[in-house]
Amino acid sequence: MSARIRVIGKRIIVAIITLFLSMVVSFVMMRETPGNVWQGLAYQMAQSQNIPLVMAYQRLTAMYHYNPNQPMITAFLTYLNGVIHGNLGVSMLNQNVSVNQVIAAALPWTLFVAVIALGISFIIGNWLGVRMAWKRNSFLDPLMTGLSVISHAVPSFVIALVLIVVFSLRLGWFPYNGAFSFLVQPGFNLPFFLSALDYACLPILTYVLVLLGTQAMSMKSTSLAVMNEDYVSAAQARGLRESVIVKRYVKRIAILPQVTGLALSFGGILGASALVETLFNYPGIGQFLTNATNTRDYSELQGLFLFQAVCMIVANLIANVLYAYLDPRVKTEG
Amino acid sequence: MSVVVRFFTTIYYNKKALIGFILVVFFVLMALIGPLFFHFSTAIDYSARLDPPSFAHPLGTDFAGRDTLTEIVIGSQQVLSVAFWAALISLSAGVVIGILAGFIGGVVDEILMIIINLVLTIPSFSLNLILAAIFSVTSPVAFGLLLSVTAWAPLALGVRAQILSLRERDYITVARLMGLGKGYILTRELLPNIVSYLTINFIQSASGAVQASVGIMLLGLVPYSVTNWGQMLNIAINQNGGLSNPSGVYYMLSPILALTLFTFGCFLFANGIDDFFNPRLRTS
Amino acid sequence: MEDSYILKIANLNVDYVTRGSVVHAVSDVSLSIPAGKLTAIVGESGCGKSTLTTALLHYGMGQRRGAILYQDKDILKLKGEELRKFRWSEISMVFQASQSALNPVMRVGEQFIETYREHDRKVSKKAIVEKASQLLEYVRLDPKRVLQSYPHELSGGMKQRVMIALSLLLDPKVVILDEPTTALDVITQDAIFDILLKINREFNTTMILVTHDFGIVAKVADYVAVMYAGQVVEYNDVRRVFKRPQHPYTKGLIESTPSLLSNNEEISEIDGTPPDLRNKPQGCVFHPRCPIARPICSREIPAARIEGDGMVACHAYGHPLYAQESNIEKVGG
Amino acid sequence: MGALMTIENVSMTFQMKKNLIGGPAPQVHALSEVNLEIPQGSIVAVVGESGCGKTTLGKAIVGLQKPTGGRILYDGEDLYNMSGDHFAQYRKQVQMVMQDSFAALNPMRSVGQALAVPLQKLGIVKGRKAARDRVIALLESVGLVPGEQFLAKYPHQLSGGQRQRVCLARAISLSPRLIVADEPVSGVDVSSRLSILKLMSSLNKELGIAFVYITHDLSTARYIAGQGKLAVMYLGRLVEFGDLQSVLDRPRHPYLRALLTAVPAPDPDLARNRPPLPLKDLDLPDATRLPSGCSFHPRCPLAAAGRCEQEVPQLHMVGASAVACHFADMADIS
């Protein structure tokens, strides 16, 4: 068996363990926290509808299949069984909507924005980073340093707010409320696609501003480190063209740690999405999460949270597998 | 040269760190002694609502005609104390767990690493949101604790990595060979080498906690407190049409400015402080 | 000797500018390298010997002044494509850290092909592989295995031999050997120098060896240049340098080398440490450590004087007091 | 003079890390059945190529790594089976000096701190003033004069030779009986190497401290251990041991002969007229797959079919020294 496959296999096992533990966490968080969510709900119901507590519990059981007397282990196994079969439960607010449907509706929007933003900042950021390392003291340096300060020091929601005020409200260049214009017909048609792109511009720009500077600066520093390596000066001495050295020596090697960083960046977008999507009123996972939190829709919360965790795990896994394939030095230990 | 003098010399020669230091000190002072000079009054004066900056109200007024500057100053106390507690708790937890994992090693390390990796994969802002909603925290300590639930993990990972690499250094081996105990090695040989890392991370954690706490407040998930910067933003955006109403823009801008200046100061200060701890960079 | 010098270095200066201070890594070096011979440049770490060799290929950092004449061309005046094509095809190099001089994410074979193609686009891959295989066999490696390997899959000694084969790929006239065996064991080192000497003889390749080890110099060099604090203090035929070193630094270095063959009773070290290259001493750079320093040494920079085919830069050279004073020092030490 | 330390049949086997998914875990035999005696106040030079186990042996002697087989006796007492008190004594009496003097000193602590604090901590001197005076005396005794000038210096402000002197001062500050010096001069400037060797030699003569000098360089070994012992190691085994003078005068083991041939002599005439390397193969075998029998047999010009690849040669007295070779007597003839 090749060493690379062993490394990847190890990663997959770790991912599965993490996945299981996240399920435990998300389950325990909702059910076993002090001031139990269900308890609170029952009290609320009893009070508002003026019914005895016991009856409130009965209604809860009927509505959400929640049974307070069920031992935790049994309840967890039921939950686990549901999750394994792809059933994340039903929204507490709207009995007709399953959490799966919510995710199915929200995910494309989040992914649409996240993938484009990640792609732009990864490609441009790395390109700029290598350039800055190779051609020292160019005009890019202060610009990218400024951008990286912004991404470190300015919270994503501030960036989002500024973009909304400037580009949408004052200049009127981009729309910001929603994911597409109500004038177009959703579906596979060009107007819809263009409108979606139009509405996605500002959210994407927000994420790019958050990611680009950091990406460029970290690429710059790894590139500088690579350029100090002997093989780069040796390549110069061998009379290789500058473009070849930059492409096959500096970029090819400096990009390796950036690939693992991709998962981190994706996590950053996911984390920021609750705020950014809410501000843009963009119907992605983040906005639904915020809404569910606001309305205390616990089953939807649980489902969305678990789904985000799965996304993170998968992103990490992909980054690690990609790394194992890109770096021939991955040989024995991962 | 005494430590204090050396600190100020280093800061003086590093202009970015100096700006950062001044900003951070400015906000800390605002939080500590500001409330002595500014008194928040609940009196409502709708005739003066959402005024632009003037001599009487340097930052303008809020939706109820109250002085925005006063709200920012009073609010800084809450924002900064949440940040302080969050940074303190997550750093302490990170240091203890990181040192346990790195210094003891073996099974302890393996178990702790599984936990750390798990926490690292949890989408932390979402978790913070949910916890804030479930627990309805009110005190700064509780809020800080809530924000630390995941924030300790990267710190622990960093501390562990530092300890692991330091542990293999020859000078640690020599100290062991001289029969100097674990306590000596930890306090005299290891800690001086990670103080710089810890300080930088304390500042960065505080900055991160401010961003997260204001973000949560912005979504309106923590009990109402009209002076909190995040709550101010929430009101500005959701209730006063701060986005669409031109006169609301000053009210919205004030907390944004305060927040950004503080995090910006933290960033500059944290980046420059390494010079102070590194003996190679000491000016003789 | 007729005009058989392949390289003529004239008044070469190399400075590095770092945060507000200037490091004079090489100062006013003039040196001629005889064709087809092996010339060793000896000195301690930080004496500028590696800086000198990077100047010969005119790559990397440093501000260079002076001239390096190679077949009537001044290397330091080459630019752009001309300079790039010059590197490796005329002068190539075996690096100090050949362990890390190969691209870690490219197979060895690709690196041979890449190097050749960058200088000559028309040659077929097959022809390059054939040539590379010949060279690898010459350095006692299995071409089939090595060409398919990534650098990390080879041992240190093997990588070093790969590097030697790579350095010969374009049939250069000069090969620079920059501490080619520092990280290797004595036995491997010996074997590698046997290979290098064979190449030197059979291909008539001029070699410039940079080292700090006088033992290796004695074994392989034809000529020796001794460097101290960025300057060449002595240059001569290897036997002359060993039998009758003229510069007190050369003498000190040879005397401080423990030997397996003698009782080492007479050996002694040189006191003090090499100077800070940002802040060199006035006069002769060696005078603070020199056992026979006189007042003039701290005032005037000694001129290079001819000694046989070579040169020495010392005030004491040819001075009647020199022999006496060095004897006194020996009794005292 | 009695034995200060006796190394009996010491073996050290490292199990390479196992992967989660199968794969055989290779073993590395860093040391195999090493027997060695270190007389009081003597100098023993341990010589061999990288990977021969000399550093592992040094680590076992100073008590850093417990051997997987055999015993190490210190004053007749088993090192890894000592009472706490005795072990604390041993910790003070056996010290180590390492190759990289920069790594051996804490970059954050000045010379004064690095030396004085342990003295106080271990109760060797009482009070700051006394510690300071002692440190100054120690620094001057290793040739760092005047000592006061070095107290406030940080490691990066010293030259390699000076740092190694500080390390020696720290080692002798506990009045040890044995110092293990692992390649102490390979990181030092050529012109200063001799002075460090001289310093160790004078510490040996004046203070009676025994030295184990670990090196790959036979010439320096000869310089420092002229009156002492020489131990030659190959692939984890001791192949020749005896008084340095007599071992070098009449080398018996074919490996040592090859090594001696390879050492360059600082004399052009001698260096050019030496015989070719008496070796069949240049490259060392893989450490995880050692050859059977005598591990030197694939490279040995004397190896005889049948015996050398089957039978491990034991160390036995041939003339004045102990040699592990089936044909040690015949080696004279070749």
Side-chain angles (χ1 to χ4, degrees), chain C residues 244-270:
Chain C
R244 274 180 44 212
Q246 295 298 335
H247 197 281
Y249 177 66
T250 316
K251 211 164 142 68
L253 268 190
I254 293 174
E255 279 175 2
S256 67
T257 310
S259 163
L260 263 180
L261 304 160
S262 74
N263 283 327
N264 297 321
E265 274 157 9
E266 292 193 352
I267 71 176
S268 61
E269 77 273 17
I270 309 172

Side-chain angles (χ1 to χ4, degrees), chain C residues 251 291-292 294 316 318-332:
Chain C
K251 211 164 142 68
I292 56 164
R294 289 172 298 140
H319 196 279
L321 276 176
Y322 176 69
Q324 259 179 331
E325 283 182 41
S326 71
N327 281 341
I328 293 166
E329 167 58 25
K330 240 181 197 171
V331 175

Side-chain angles (χ1 to χ4, degrees), chain A residues 230-231 238-239 241 248-249, chain C residues 84 100 114 118-119 121:
Chain A
D230 296 316
Y231 46 76
R238 267 159 54 204
R241 273 169 300 161
R248 281 192 228 155
Y249 287 68
Chain C
R84 183 175 78 71
S100 47
E114 173 191 71
E118 285 289 295
H119 289 273
R121 312 220 133 252

Side-chain angles (χ1 to χ4, degrees), chain A residues 18 21 29-30 149 152-155 157-158 161 165 169 176 271 275 289-290 293-294 296 301 305 308 312 316, chain B residues 118 121-123 125-127 129-130 133 135 211 214-215 218-219 221 233 237 243 252 256 259-260 263-264 267:
Chain A
T18 319
L21 288 175
M29 193 168 70
M30 295 302 164
V149 172
H152 274 108
V154 185
F157 56 86
V158 170
L161 279 174
V165 170
L169 299 175
Y176 86 94
L275 279 161
L289 191 88
T290 312
T293 316
N294 264 324
R296 309 292 195 265
L301 257 189
F305 177 71
Q308 282 199 341
M312 295 275 286
N316 267 310
Chain B
L118 172 69
T121 17
I122 291 178
F125 187 72
S126 309
L127 182 67
L129 266 188
I130 295 169
F135 288 105
Q211 298 189 13
V214 171
L218 166 62
L219 293 176
L221 290 174
L233 270 177
I237 294 164
L243 289 177
M252 187 177 86
I256 288 187
L259 170 69
T260 310
T263 49
F264 182 62
F267 177 78

Side-chain angles (χ1 to χ4, degrees), chain B residues 68-271:
Chain B
T68 311
L69 176 63
T70 309
E71 291 181 359
I72 292 283
V73 172
I74 305 282
S76 72
Q77 197 170 30
Q78 197 182 21
V79 172
L80 260 65
S81 61
V82 169
F84 171 78
W85 285 110
L88 188 72
I89 295 168
S90 49
L91 191 73
S92 317
V95 166
V96 170
I97 292 170
I99 285 180
L100 278 180
F103 206 54
I104 296 178
V107 186
V108 178
D109 182 35
E110 274 176 37
I111 292 173
L112 288 176
M113 272 310 283
I114 290 177
I115 297 174
I116 291 173
N117 276 323
L118 172 69
V119 176
L120 281 177
T121 17
I122 291 178
S124 51
F125 187 72
S126 309
L127 182 67
N128 288 339
L129 266 188
I130 295 169
L131 289 180
I134 292 178
F135 288 105
S136 308
V137 286
T138 43
S139 82
V141 184
F143 204 166
L145 187 69
L146 186 149
L147 293 175
S148 312
V149 162
T150 52
W152 63 269
L155 291 170
L157 199 67
V159 171
R160 173 183 175 272
Q162 297 261 326
I163 297 273
L164 278 186
S165 103
L166 289 171
R167 210 173 67 151
E168 298 303 316
R169 303 280 161 95
D170 285 349
Y171 56 84
I172 303 290
T173 311
V174 171
R176 272 167 65 200
L177 287 178
M178 292 175 87
L180 296 157
K182 284 203 161 153
Y184 172 91
I185 291 175
L186 197 60
T187 54
R188 303 282 186 141
E189 304 280 1
L190 290 179
L191 280 182
N193 282 291
I194 60 170
V195 168
S196 150
Y197 178 84
L198 295 183
T199 315
I200 292 170
N201 275 284
F202 182 84
I203 300 168
Q204 284 175 347
S205 303
S207 165
V210 168
Q211 298 189 13
S213 75
V214 171
I216 291 173
M217 296 293 260
L218 166 62
L219 293 176
L221 290 174
V222 166
Y224 189 81
S225 157
V226 80
T227 57
N228 186 292
W229 300 350
Q231 196 65 50
M232 289 169 75
L233 270 177
N234 177 301
I235 296 166
I237 294 164
N238 294 331
Q239 296 175 21
N240 293 289
L243 289 177
S244 47
N245 178 0
S247 65
V249 87
Y250 297 106
Y251 180 58
M252 187 177 86
L253 223 52
S254 302
I256 288 187
L257 223 63
L259 170 69
T260 310
L261 280 178
F262 177 71
T263 49
F264 182 62
C266 284
F267 177 78
L268 290 181
F269 186 42
N271 271 354

Side-chain angles (χ1 to χ4, degrees), chain D residues 170-197:
Chain D
R170 178 174 57 185
I172 62 169
S173 69
L174 306 184
S175 317
R177 293 166 73 196
L178 172 67
I179 293 177
V180 175
D182 190 353
E183 304 266 16
V185 295
S186 46
V188 176
D189 259 336
V190 195
S191 63
S192 318
R193 279 186 190 172
L194 205 59
S195 64
I196 301 286
L197 294 174

Side-chain angles (χ1 to χ4, degrees), chain C residues 44 190 221 239 243 260 289, chain D residues 189 191 222 269 272 274:
Chain C
E44 298 176 80
D190 192 64
R239 286 187 172 76
K243 301 272 149 77
L260 263 180
R289 301 175 74 187
Chain D
D189 259 336
S191 63
R222 172 175 176 143
D269 292 319
R272 276 150 221 249
R274 62 144 191 76

Side-chain angles (χ1 to χ4, degrees), chain C residues 42 47 54 100 121 131 138 155 163 170 235 283 314:
Chain C
V42 203
C47 74
T54 51
S100 47
R121 312 220 133 252
K131 171 132 201 211
Y138 195 80
S155 77
M163 202 66 223
L170 304 172
Y235 169 76
C314 176

